[in-house]
Amino acid sequence: MSENEQFGSRWGLILATLGMAVGTGNIWRFPRIVATNGGGSFLVAWVVFLLIWSVPLMIVEFSFGKRGRKGTVGSFIAMAGKGAGWMGGWVALCATAIMFYYSVVAGWCLRYFAAALQGGLTGENSTRFWESYAGSGVAWITSALALSLAIGVVWFGVRGIERVAKVLIPSLFVMVLMLAIRAVTLPGAAAGLEFLFRPDWSALGDVRIWLQALTQNAWDTGAGWGLILTFAIYMKSREDIPLNAFLIGFGNNSVSLLAGIMVLCTVFAINPGARSEIVGAGNEGLTFIWMPQLFGQMPGGRFFMVFFFLALSFAALTSLIAMVELVTRILIDAGLRRRKAVIVVGLVALAFSTPSALSLSFLHNQDWVWGVGLMLSGLLYAIAARRFGVERLRREVVNSEGCDLPIGKWWTFIVSVVVPIEAVVLMIWWLWEARGWDPEHWLDPFRSASVGTVLAQWAVVLVALLVLNRWLGHRVSGEGAS
Amino acid sequence: MSGAAIVMMLVICGFIWGGFVYFLIRAVRSEARKSSSPQEGD
């Protein structure tokens, strides 16, 4: 397999990147967050941050990958100098840590799809099913299965990723659309639409709504994760950047909107009395306990439940594939052949996903630590872009030959000024929030979801990266590669 | 549904889905143009 691979077409790149962006967060987090943060008012803020966080950062990622032609470490060095390897290392480690527990989540989706298909999952037994499954050895097996599928795709290189994306992403769109249409045609669904879209203008004065909208964009579009950068390595040199970024950003949020309509219309049509309990049940509670119950009470519900979990599985797998490719690409840059790199990634991921597969509290803690870590990743992209020169990046890379939608200086301003402010404000806000969750032990590094655990784990990773910074630079720039 | 909710639904869905369709059409046209140009191979 050549290490100088390319996507066969623009559509291959777009579908693979859309697959990366559309994940479980679109389907299980967005409906919950919009329902608990002011409905229509939240959507206004969510659209604003699509334009001043997600799309600008996606353009940065595309330009780094296209110019650097290496994984996150090599591209950060190419763009911001030899001393910037640790920044790319942080972005990679953050995405890798997420991959370790995301494989568990993908395994859950596969298990629920299989159970729905076989008829073993019903509205009556969903709580019992979840409690006996989550954190068990079976969850580890399904996590290993999800990882194996992702590894199998990445094994065949970027053309393998392209082929799979061309099947899974259109299928995912069709399934989410079908489920949304079914949901809005249920009696009583209009109340769900009212709840989702009713604007409460006074809520726009609440800073919390804006911060939640920014967080949703940061977590569900994949901007700043390093995954778009990784796919951009394989784009053609005369390929457009801005139009692709807008297409992916709007495509991702289109799926979120469909998922919001699908979930909230179903909730309001089937069990409006329990709506607060349902949207407050957390990601897993909503998806794996309440949704089967709602489908169980819907005419033809089993049929739609199968498609719901199949869509969720596709969303999870395409994102997991991108995460596996990110790490694989860095190992390729360090001198390994693709297939050897894929095996190493598979074995390491299998080992490090085990604690999350066997313990929900461990998984939630990792989700907390590295979810906030993504905001630091976004900040590092902005810093690296400033080192290269944001305006130079716009002229030389973003608006270069082949560009279909030249962007103006507004982007330079957003990346130089707005994105760093957003990232810093978000990090401080989330850590401040966490202080209130457990006021007595918020600095304890061994407490789950504490500020202390975030700072301790970040410190370990950052110190290691800074110590290894010079070595990282040598390895990925080929000076020390075998 | 209230009038305000209907208006908001049209604005948000129109912007997000309309935006997606708009950028998709632009990309399709651009690809068609590029594929007719012999210089675009890479």
Side-chain angles (χ1 to χ4, degrees):
Chain A
M1 183 66 58
S2 163
E3 260 90 83
N4 299 312
E5 306 162 276
Q6 279 189 338
F7 281 103
S9 69
R10 178 183 204 162
W11 306 116
L13 169 69
I14 287 172
L15 287 171
T17 314
L18 254 179
M20 172 284 299
V22 177
T24 51
N26 300 66
I27 298 173
W28 74 9
R29 191 174 190 274
F30 176 78
R32 266 194 332 104
I33 296 301
V34 71
T36 49
N37 286 283
S41 314
F42 172 87
L43 293 175
V44 172
W46 175 70
V47 166
V48 169
F49 285 118
L50 170 67
L51 300 175
I52 64 169
W53 172 274
S54 303
V55 172
L57 262 182
M58 283 181 183
I59 293 173
V60 174
E61 282 214 49
F62 268 121
S63 58
F64 275 31
K66 186 178 178 183
R67 176 80 171 223
R69 296 290 177 187
K70 286 197 170 185
T72 54
V73 177
S75 287
F76 267 78
I77 290 171
M79 304 305 288
K82 279 216 160 181
W86 70 272
M87 294 185 186
W90 170 269
V91 172
L93 275 172
C94 213
T96 308
I98 291 172
M99 176 183 74
F100 293 149
Y101 68 81
Y102 199 78
S103 64
V104 177
V105 173
W108 293 345
C109 300
L110 290 173
R111 176 71 190 102
Y112 268 69
F113 164 63
L117 194 64
Q118 292 163 346
L121 178 64
T122 62
E124 291 77 39
N125 73 358
S126 64
T127 305
R128 215 168 47 248
F129 191 97
W130 173 251
E131 285 172 354
S132 65
Y133 166 66
S136 71
V138 182
W140 182 83
I141 293 169
T142 51
S143 166
L145 175 66
L147 259 177
S148 306
L149 290 171
I151 295 287
V153 173
V154 175
W155 178 272
F156 292 100
V158 70
R159 291 300 174 99
I161 296 171
E162 183 175 357
R163 273 197 291 273
V164 168
K166 279 181 173 172
V167 176
L168 296 195
I169 297 307
S171 311
L172 172 64
F173 265 82
V174 169
M175 281 189 284
V176 175
L177 186 63
M178 181 188 78
L179 289 161
I181 290 170
R182 175 61 187 139
V184 294
T185 53
L186 287 167
L193 292 176
E194 170 78 24
F195 188 71
L196 177 59
F197 290 107
R198 189 186 57 239
D200 172 9
W201 299 116
S202 64
L204 284 177
D206 183 354
V207 70
R208 193 173 291 262
I209 300 276
W210 290 88
L211 289 165
Q212 285 286 8
L214 175 54
T215 304
Q216 183 61 27
N217 270 289
W219 283 349
D220 101 4
T221 56
W225 290 48
L227 304 170
I228 295 172
L229 182 157
T230 304
F231 282 159
I233 297 168
Y234 309 112
M235 69 198 291
K236 294 177 180 175
S237 58
R238 277 193 289 270
E239 181 98 59
D240 159 88
I241 289 177
L243 183 55
N244 284 356
F246 275 100
L247 188 52
I248 291 155
F250 276 76
N252 174 76
N253 283 21
S254 292
V255 175
S256 292
L257 207 49
L258 280 173
I261 291 170
M262 167 181 81
V263 170
L264 292 177
C265 286
T266 306
V267 169
F268 274 79
I270 304 293
N271 198 346
R275 64 174 187 259
S276 301
E277 199 182 336
I278 295 171
V279 296
N283 293 333
E284 296 104 84
L286 169 70
T287 311
F288 298 114
I289 295 173
W290 277 104
M291 288 310 286
Q293 290 187 26
L294 296 172
F295 283 123
Q297 296 170 50
M298 184 194 291
R302 191 181 150 201
F303 175 80
F304 290 102
M305 182 155 63
V306 169
F307 279 103
F308 175 77
F309 285 113
L310 184 59
L312 207 59
S313 300
F314 282 7
L317 280 175
T318 47
S319 300
L320 186 61
I321 287 166
M323 294 176 201
V324 171
E325 174 61 24
L326 181 149
V327 195
T328 301
R329 179 65 214 196
I330 291 171
L331 294 183
I332 291 171
D333 291 343
L336 266 64
R337 305 288 299 172
R338 172 172 284 276
R339 291 188 174 176
K340 201 171 176 184
V342 170
I343 291 169
V344 171
V345 173
L347 291 174
V348 170
L350 197 60
F352 281 87
S353 64
T354 301
S356 293
L358 300 179
S359 163
L360 274 182
S361 67
F362 188 90
L363 185 150
H364 289 149
N365 193 48
Q366 291 303 290
D367 190 23
W368 157 242
V369 172
W370 302 111
V372 183
L374 287 173
M375 293 150 195
L376 180 55
S377 294
L379 177 64
L380 295 179
Y381 269 104
I383 291 171
R386 284 179 69 133
R387 278 200 194 172
F388 182 82
V390 183
E391 180 56 19
R392 182 181 158 208
L393 191 64
R394 184 179 79 88
R395 280 188 277 104
E396 291 183 12
V397 187
V398 178
N399 286 349
S400 62
E401 190 187 359
C403 175
D404 296 319
L405 187 70
I407 51 167
K409 288 192 175 179
W410 62 268
W411 177 80
T412 308
F413 174 74
I414 285 177
V415 173
S416 309
V417 179
V418 180
V419 168
I421 292 172
E422 288 170 324
V424 170
V425 167
L426 261 193
M427 275 189 288
I428 292 171
W429 179 64
W430 274 106
L431 294 177
W432 184 260
E433 283 282 292
R435 195 172 165 268
W437 297 337
D438 189 356
E440 288 185 13
H441 305 101
W442 62 278
L443 257 182
D444 184 346
F446 299 105
R447 285 267 170 174
S448 187
S450 68
V451 177
T453 191
V454 171
L455 298 180
Q457 292 189 55
W458 284 15
V460 169
V461 168
L462 285 170
V463 167
L465 285 170
L466 289 168
V467 168
L468 297 172
N469 196 27
R470 189 183 289 264
W471 178 81
L472 272 174
H474 278 292
R475 289 296 298 187
V476 300
S477 56
E479 294 165 35
S482 56
Chain B
M1 277 177 79
S2 64
I6 291 171
V7 170
M8 182 58 88
M9 182 171 75
L10 292 175
V11 169
I12 295 290
C13 293
F15 185 75
I16 295 292
W17 294 341
F20 177 57
V21 171
Y22 168 75
F23 292 123
L24 189 61
I25 290 171
R26 273 194 79 147
V28 169
R29 284 186 180 161
S30 161
E31 282 310 289
R33 201 172 52 247
K34 284 177 183 173
S35 64
S36 64
S37 157
Q39 199 194 2
E40 293 301 329
D42 205 31

